Amino acid sequence: MTTIRNVVLVHGGFVDGSGWQGVHGELTRDGFRVHIVQNPTLSLEDDVAVTRRVLDGLDGPAVLVGHSYGGVVISEAGTHPNVTSLVYIAAFAPDNGESVSALIGGSPAPPILPPREGFLFLDRDTFAASFAADLPGQVAAFMADSQVPWGVDAFGGSVTEPAWRHKPSWYLVATEDLMIPPPAQRMMAERAGAKVVEVIGSHAVYVSQPAAVADLIREAAI
């Protein structure tokens, strides 16, 4: 069996790629070449283009991984010829024509605040409880204070042809997630025909449990 050595990690809304540091450490110790996509999260089209530029620069095939809104990005960008498999980490896995907006039923709901000048933010006071309940308080507070504005065009961006229809996928369900309900995660994973693992963790499971996330990525690399 051939093991894929490239892994491309795509973050979601409200955060940047630094949250992947623990997963990066786990995988690089095993000899993987890990690439962190820094999406501006202004629009889906732009984030897909940024991700594809990273994929263009690889020297071989890769596992493409997305957390949260990053799942929308990898669903669209994952048709790239360098992508062999997809890994969704507590992520949206849209079908043709679907967006985050469509999957959650339209308008942003608490703890997402109403749009401000075309951008979305999470309520700072409830960020820890809703997004990162299993992280140390200081870490969750820093994440709340360092939020990246999430563009409403990214929130509403629709997938045209989901890569999971053509490539094998894996899905990590975070059972304590208060941002994407676990039943919705299971539905999307089943629809995508993904191999599923469940981990007791918050929406920030990629930060709180990097070893479990890395284990699933290793599985997808074989």
Side-chain angles (χ1 to χ4, degrees), residues 11-201:
H11 65 83
F14 308 118
V15 296
D16 65 14
S18 63
W20 290 113
Q21 184 174 0
V23 175
H24 178 278
E26 292 278 341
L27 294 174
T28 54
R29 279 194 294 272
D30 283 349
F32 286 94
R33 179 67 179 95
V34 182
H35 311 260
I36 312 293
V37 178
Q38 291 285 14
N39 284 324
T41 63
L42 299 177
S43 71
L44 177 60
E45 181 181 21
D46 186 41
D47 293 336
V48 169
V50 171
T51 302
R52 284 181 171 154
R53 280 198 294 272
V54 172
L55 293 166
D56 285 341
L58 300 183
D59 58 1
V63 178
L64 184 59
V65 185
H67 169 254
S68 192
Y69 159 73
V72 184
V73 178
I74 72 169
S75 294
E76 184 76 359
T79 55
H80 191 285
N82 280 341
V83 176
T84 60
S85 53
L86 307 162
V87 180
Y88 293 86
I89 307 298
F92 293 101
D95 204 346
N96 181 31
E98 290 181 342
S99 61
V100 173
S101 174
L103 286 168
I104 69 171
S107 300
I112 303 177
L113 298 171
R116 209 166 64 216
E117 297 181 1
F119 294 101
L120 300 168
F121 293 88
L122 286 179
D123 179 16
R124 181 178 174 276
D125 293 336
T126 60
F127 185 101
S130 57
F131 194 102
D134 55 353
L135 290 177
Q138 285 188 321
V139 176
F142 177 79
M143 292 175 71
D145 288 339
S146 62
Q147 288 184 60
V148 178
W150 188 20
V152 294
D153 288 343
F155 177 78
S158 299
V159 167
T160 57
E161 179 60 27
W164 52 256
R165 287 194 172 275
H166 309 286
K167 299 182 181 183
S169 60
W170 282 254
Y171 198 110
L172 185 147
V173 173
T175 63
E176 307 302 309
D177 196 334
L178 298 182
M179 295 295 297
I180 306 177
Q185 294 184 39
R186 295 183 186 108
M187 178 278 291
M188 290 184 286
E190 181 179 4
R191 181 175 66 176
K195 180 168 182 180
V196 179
V197 300
E198 299 207 359
V199 172
I200 300 172

